[in-house]
Amino acid sequence: MSATINSVTSKSLGTLSSFKKSTEGITGITSLGNFRVSLYSESIFRISISLEEHFESLSYSVVANPVEIASEIIDSDSTLQIKTSTTLLTISKNPVRFSFNTLDGKVINEDETFGTSWIGDQVTTYKKLQPDERFIGLGEKTGGLDRRGHAFQNWTTDAYGYGNGTDPLYCSTPFYIGIHNHLLYGIFFDNTHKTFFNFGASNNRFSSFSADAGEMNYYFINGNSVAEIIKQYTHLTGRMEMPPIWSIGYQQCRYSYYPDKEIYSLAKTFREKDIPADVIVLDIHYMDKYKIFTWDSKNFPDPKGLIQHLRDQGFHIVIMCDPGIKVEPGYETYDDGVKKDVFIKYPDGENYQGQVWPGWCHFPDFTNPETREWWATKFQDYVNLGVDGFWNDMNEIATWGHSLPENLEFNFEGNKATTRRGRNLFGFQMARSTYEGTKKLLKGKRPFNLTRSGFSGIQRYAAVWTGDNVSYDEHMLLGVRLVNSIGLTGIAFAGYDAGGFVGDANTKLFARWISIASLSPFFRAHTMINTRDSEPWSYGEEVESICRNYIKFRYQLMPYIYSLFYDASKTGMPVQRSLAINYTHDHRIYDGKYYNQYLFGPSILVAPVESNKELLKIFFPEGEWYDVYTGKVWQGNQETVVESPIHRLPVFIKAGSVLPMQPAAANTSIKQQELILHIYCGKDSSEFLLYMDDGETFDYQNGKSATRTIQMNGAQNKVIVSKSEGDFKSSYKKIKIILHGTNTDSVSVNGKNLEISYHLHSFFAPLEKYDPINEPDSMGEEKVRIATIDYTEANLEISW
Ligand code: MIG
């Protein structure tokens, strides 16, 4: 059965005529349209609704399969119910509407009267707004943490210099979480057309999600916590692999560094100035006239020598990869692309041309598996030169004019689709092809891949950065919020251009931006062509010392941060965590005063603040919080004012936690001798999984890793570090135990008393002033107790 729908009125899914149970789940026929319910776990229900008799099976996002679950089906006069061990789905028969409930009958999420309906090709599902319902997520979207009262659309867009309210931006991730009455759920709308989300904007009846065309195809996720829902969502859409450890070090970028001399000198300056860094990024000017897979032979006569030299200094190179391929007979990539027929076409078969940096260009059709294969092999030359970092830009697709024709034809895995269905996927599939290709070519070494555009599932292939931000304070805070939200959408590896891309930063702004970004997942300074120099030393000595301090702090935290990435690879848990993850039901965290705050991993609270503010009102969640500079302990569950001078970003460590750290080093590949356990005493308990591997190969997938659980029992003054599991042997020779917030005079390990020493501790060096007659300014100090033991893989019980 198929129905014709016009756009004069809205028509909704009709009454149930029949249903049947199949291996796929339940399918039903209604007086207008068909539906199918399939289960992906006890708590994930996929709802497909179509005017056609068959349902779409292709998804670029979903990697999980439906499962057979011992669900009960209860057929009564007016309803059809499906019950799993966690969730009761009630489908009313006349008309067909869906309501998800807890087993004791509370409504988690239910259709509004309009249910699923169509206006022309546009399909919408309406959900009843629940009392005080909040909405979080949707990834790279501007606005507040709670999205109630606002509407958004997903249509990947080159949003150069976007503002505080611009929508859409570069990535489309149609997934959000609803919260009300201590209940929560996630909805992932797996439709790649332009989609629209309304969270009670201009209405007080419903939240809704619509697509310009295609099927209603959504996954309802029932979960007890935000973390659980993210875990389920990334069960569906996949998780990242471990990134190369160097990619989470500091990356220095600008549009563009050239000629090669400038890069030699950059690398040297980092080392001379004792500022850790792992990456120098080559933006478009390394290419010959912006042609991908070429080198500008004048400015880069010896790329191999350059890259080797950088490698010797402990630097990796990340290079810009643009999808636009210049139409120029004789240019190898162009000729080969035409021959292999890999480009996006007009309906009459002509290759589409759009204008970008190189001039008129064709664009590889990354929804074609053969094109992905073709693109993947093109990286051979780069890899031969020693390149292992790749940056996918302009993949929304961005072209001059910003109006990609909608009649272009995409291969869509052989199914054909127009721009309307293909555009949101372009960046995602470009990143996929780049990642899969370079991974293969690197023969066991991990590539780093960065993308501007993406769709749900992009976390499997690339880190995401938030594009062309602007050098001012509000934008800095907006970037923090974007990354918080991107994290809620299963993308753990994300960041923003520190210092701001468009325009010039000023001294304070640059210092603050680097401080905050040092505690973000992807840490890179970047700036636009023709802006002022923006390296850590470009803003005077004071800023240089501030940058050095925070960059070094990040390097000290590397064992902790790397373990957070491991968590992301296992559970989808973001590295930078919106407070909505741990404190979901505390209304204060949604307040505009506090919604930029986040947890960096489980134990570090970061309160981002404008560069010119010396005082900040912050919200301390429950528990107790140590000031990272002075060790002063703040009581949680309160709103209070803290100091935020330019050299001291408000950062706090949760009492009752342990931070695994190490000494700062010039780069991440230096073999470390000493694991430092910072124990923050307090009555709370915690558990942290320390993860180690070689940082650069995929051997960890075959057991060559080491995990150790660090269990803190605050009330009993005890930390247990479990014996090392797995085949990887770390380079550590010593473990230094640093106790914060205790006056104890005795520390023991496995019952044996240790010698302790008393120190004034700081993670940060005193700030040099521009005039040497002044004493350097202390960053703050804290009395700690220190004891050192030999490194051992055996179980350790530390008590004090
Ligand atoms: O039209 O490669 O967002 O980071 O420096 C600009 C040059 C193209 C946009 C990216 C930006 C990059 C720039 N690119």
Side-chain angles (χ1 to χ4, degrees):
M1 182 201 76
S2 115
T4 317
I5 296 283
N6 65 38
S7 54
V8 177
T9 55
S10 162
K11 300 253 165 65
S12 76
L13 196 59
T15 51
L16 187 69
S17 333
S18 69
F19 78 92
K20 67 171 189 281
K21 200 175 177 250
S22 68
T23 45
E24 301 238 317
I26 287 184
T27 52
I29 300 176
T30 80
S31 50
L32 180 80
N34 306 292
F35 70 85
R36 183 182 69 197
V37 179
S38 34
L39 299 177
Y40 282 65
S41 78
E42 300 279 336
S43 307
I44 305 180
F45 291 66
R46 177 183 181 185
I47 309 293
S48 309
I49 298 172
S50 174
L51 292 172
E52 316 287 331
E53 271 167 61
H54 55 87
F55 299 98
E56 188 52 60
S57 55
L58 175 68
S59 171
Y60 283 93
S61 297
V62 173
V63 291
N65 291 309
V67 286
E68 263 202 68
I69 279 176
S71 55
E72 232 179 289
I73 295 177
I74 310 149
D75 183 13
S76 67
D77 285 352
S78 59
T79 64
L80 187 62
Q81 293 183 305
I82 306 176
K83 194 173 173 183
T84 70
S85 63
T86 64
T87 313
L88 174 68
L89 166 62
T90 301
I91 307 169
S92 66
K93 291 184 174 176
N94 182 15
V96 170
R97 300 288 182 262
F98 298 80
S99 166
F100 297 93
N101 304 279
T102 61
L103 293 185
D104 59 0
K106 288 193 211 108
V107 174
I108 308 169
N109 173 270
E110 63 187 323
D111 281 1
E112 227 285 333
T113 322
F114 316 125
T116 293
S117 28
W118 292 265
I119 302 170
D121 279 345
Q122 189 184 68
V123 60
T124 303
T125 291
Y126 296 89
K127 298 290 187 180
K128 204 174 265 173
L129 274 177
Q130 302 295 329
D132 299 321
E133 189 166 18
R134 295 182 190 281
F135 302 89
I136 60 174
L138 229 53
E140 194 190 47
K141 293 290 175 202
T142 58
L145 173 58
D146 181 0
R147 308 212 173 274
R148 175 81 182 254
H150 297 272
F152 303 88
Q153 54 171 299
N154 290 307
W155 192 235
T156 55
T157 296
D158 174 7
Y160 172 84
Y162 54 97
N164 248 331
T166 305
D167 183 59
L169 301 183
Y170 309 88
C171 285
S172 300
T173 47
F175 168 68
Y176 71 90
I177 296 171
I179 304 161
H180 64 91
N181 298 309
H182 280 74
L183 296 170
L184 12 159
Y185 65 89
I187 284 185
F188 170 45
F189 182 21
D190 189 11
N191 181 318
T192 66
H193 290 86
K194 189 186 276 181
T195 54
F196 304 86
F197 286 74
N198 181 319
F199 300 113
S202 308
N203 90 82
N204 55 10
R205 284 179 69 168
F206 61 80
S207 61
S208 67
F209 39 98
S210 327
D212 259 359
E215 231 171 69
M216 178 46 60
N217 172 25
Y218 73 91
Y219 295 78
F220 168 84
I221 302 171
N222 184 8
N224 293 324
S225 65
V226 172
E228 176 59 24
I229 290 170
I230 295 173
K231 192 172 175 188
Q232 298 269 11
Y233 168 73
T234 53
H235 165 71
L236 285 176
T237 60
R239 302 184 180 119
M240 68 184 297
E241 295 187 292
M242 282 305 289
I245 193 165
W246 55 264
S247 68
I248 59 179
Y250 177 67
Q251 307 200 11
Q252 183 65 49
C253 187
R254 88 160 287 128
Y255 169 17
S256 307
Y257 288 123
Y258 65 87
D260 55 358
K261 279 194 210 61
E262 186 168 4
I263 293 148
Y264 284 106
S265 125
L266 259 181
K268 190 155 160 264
T269 311
F270 273 106
R271 297 307 176 230
E272 276 172 7
K273 289 191 171 287
D274 185 29
I275 297 174
D278 272 80
V279 173
I280 295 175
V281 184
L282 300 186
D283 205 329
I284 47 178
H285 290 96
Y286 79 88
M287 294 181 253
D288 173 27
K289 303 200 177 67
Y290 309 129
K291 283 183 287 186
I292 183 71
F293 306 121
T294 67
W295 286 86
D296 172 351
S297 57
K298 192 168 126 271
N299 286 321
F300 294 87
D302 177 19
K304 188 157 193 152
L306 170 68
I307 292 164
Q308 188 54 52
H309 175 84
L310 290 172
R311 270 318 218 341
D312 297 343
Q313 307 286 310
F315 283 96
H316 290 251
I317 282 284
V318 171
I319 53 150
M320 169 55 78
C321 310
D322 281 324
I325 289 170
K326 186 176 175 64
V327 174
E328 185 186 83
Y331 163 37
E332 202 274 333
T333 309
Y334 166 79
D335 288 340
D336 195 45
V338 171
K339 198 170 100 209
K340 306 258 167 67
D341 196 19
V342 299
F343 299 122
I344 296 173
K345 295 183 174 38
Y346 280 111
D348 62 5
E350 187 176 299
N351 287 330
Y352 163 67
Q353 293 194 26
Q355 224 177 354
V356 242
W357 292 118
W360 290 100
C361 289
H362 291 330
F363 296 84
D365 177 2
F366 292 107
T367 67
N368 183 344
E370 283 165 24
T371 302
R372 289 198 299 271
E373 280 288 309
W374 173 82
W375 176 260
T377 58
K378 292 282 167 209
F379 289 90
Q380 183 69 66
D381 290 351
Y382 287 151
V383 168
N384 291 347
L385 295 171
V387 179
D388 48 6
F390 307 89
W391 177 15
N392 300 222
D393 188 20
M394 305 294 274
N395 51 2
E396 293 73 27
I397 305 170
T399 51
W400 304 161
H402 298 284
S403 303
L404 195 68
E406 295 212 340
N407 66 346
L408 301 182
E409 283 194 350
F410 288 72
N411 172 282
F412 225 83
E413 312 302 297
N415 298 301
K416 282 238 163 118
T418 66
T419 304
R420 290 173 42 133
R421 194 174 181 202
R423 170 170 169 148
N424 273 324
L425 285 171
F426 185 84
F428 177 24
Q429 293 306 299
M430 176 187 177
R432 170 185 179 183
S433 170
T434 307
Y435 185 71
E436 290 177 344
T438 55
K439 180 176 172 181
K440 208 156 143 197
L441 293 169
L442 283 163
K443 300 208 165 65
K445 288 255 163 85
R446 302 175 205 166
F448 167 65
N449 199 29
L450 177 68
T451 187
R452 196 167 72 175
S453 185
F455 192 79
S456 293
I458 185 63
Q459 65 272 12
R460 308 200 295 269
Y461 308 118
V464 166
W465 103 104
T466 61
D468 299 338
N469 62 0
V470 191
S471 295
Y472 59 86
D473 278 287
E474 243 181 293
H475 225 289
M476 173 175 73
L477 299 180
L478 168 60
V480 169
R481 264 192 325 279
L482 289 174
V483 172
N484 287 347
S485 177
I486 289 169
L488 291 169
T489 318
I491 303 164
F493 201 2
Y496 36 77
D497 289 343
F501 182 70
V502 181
D504 288 334
N506 60 47
T507 47
K508 282 195 167 177
L509 182 63
F510 189 80
R512 185 72 101 204
W513 216 319
I514 290 285
S515 319
I516 301 172
S518 74
L519 300 169
S520 80
F522 168 65
F523 181 23
R524 186 185 75 167
H526 185 33
T527 186
M528 195 164 114
I529 194 167
N530 287 331
T531 57
R532 60 166 296 174
D533 286 352
S534 268
E535 291 77 39
W537 52 83
S538 313
Y539 293 83
E541 283 165 42
E542 190 174 353
V543 175
E544 183 182 320
S545 344
I546 294 172
C547 292
R548 182 183 298 105
N549 261 340
Y550 285 93
I551 297 174
K552 282 195 167 177
F553 184 48
R554 181 182 182 90
Y555 278 70
Q556 294 171 66
L557 279 167
M558 215 37 91
Y560 173 76
I561 300 174
Y562 195 58
S563 300
L564 298 177
F565 277 92
Y566 179 69
D567 192 7
S569 75
K570 285 289 172 196
T571 68
M573 187 66 160
V575 170
Q576 173 168 329
R577 303 176 182 175
S578 156
L579 295 188
I581 297 179
N582 288 51
Y583 312 101
T584 318
H585 305 293
D586 192 321
H587 66 94
R588 289 169 290 192
I589 65 154
Y590 301 96
D591 190 315
K593 288 200 288 291
Y594 311 124
Y595 62 19
N596 300 315
Q597 288 181 216
Y598 61 90
L599 284 173
F600 190 57
S603 316
I604 303 180
L605 177 69
V606 183
V609 49
E610 290 91 338
S611 57
N612 50 10
K613 268 201 191 155
E614 304 240 314
L615 290 173
L616 174 69
K617 186 147 188 215
I618 86 162
F619 168 61
F620 282 112
E622 69 212 10
E624 288 174 329
W625 301 89
Y626 282 83
D627 178 305
V628 76
Y629 309 99
T630 62
K632 173 181 167 152
V633 176
W634 294 85
Q635 288 308 309
N637 201 16
Q638 63 155 331
E639 298 158 81
T640 189
V641 174
V642 299
E643 288 181 7
S644 54
I646 191 59
H647 58 290
R648 292 204 330 202
L649 176 71
V651 174
F652 305 89
I653 315 296
K654 192 164 200 291
S657 61
V658 180
L659 294 180
M661 298 179 69
Q662 64 193 18
N667 63 70
T668 55
S669 51
I670 289 169
K671 295 268 169 286
Q672 294 275 347
Q673 307 282 309
E674 191 176 74
L675 176 66
I676 306 174
L677 298 178
H678 283 275
I679 299 175
Y680 286 88
C681 299
K683 50 188 182 313
D684 287 337
S685 294
S686 65
E687 200 175 289
F688 186 82
L689 190 69
L690 175 64
Y691 174 83
M692 295 168 277
D693 65 19
D694 65 26
E696 57 172 1
T697 74
F698 286 96
D699 292 351
Y700 74 95
Q701 293 176 345
N702 307 312
K704 273 218 137 187
S705 64
T707 52
R708 310 190 70 163
T709 309
I710 303 175
Q711 238 180 303
M712 166 99 179
N713 188 327
Q716 287 179 27
N717 295 339
K718 197 158 67 182
V719 167
I720 296 172
V721 184
S722 72
K723 76 172 190 333
S724 187
E725 304 278 352
D727 294 340
F728 178 74
K729 300 264 168 274
S730 86
S731 56
Y732 295 129
K733 302 276 181 286
K734 298 272 175 205
I735 300 180
K736 192 188 256 183
I737 298 160
I738 303 189
L739 288 159
H740 299 252
T742 170
N743 289 323
T744 188
D745 288 321
S746 91
V747 180
S748 70
V749 169
N750 295 345
K752 239 183 74 193
N753 269 333
L754 302 181
E755 208 179 296
I756 52 177
S757 54
Y758 305 82
H759 288 262
L760 278 179
H761 160 82
S762 177
F763 291 109
F764 306 92
L767 285 190
E768 299 285 343
K769 301 303 258 192
Y770 46 88
D771 184 340
I773 73 157
N774 298 319
E775 281 295 302
D777 267 358
S778 166
M779 289 283 289
E781 283 167 338
E782 183 190 357
K783 284 194 195 124
V784 298
R785 272 115 174 93
I786 301 186
T788 304
I789 57 170
D790 287 339
Y791 188 80
T792 158
E793 298 196 332
N795 191 79
L796 291 172
E797 188 171 324
I798 306 166
S799 348
W800 60 92

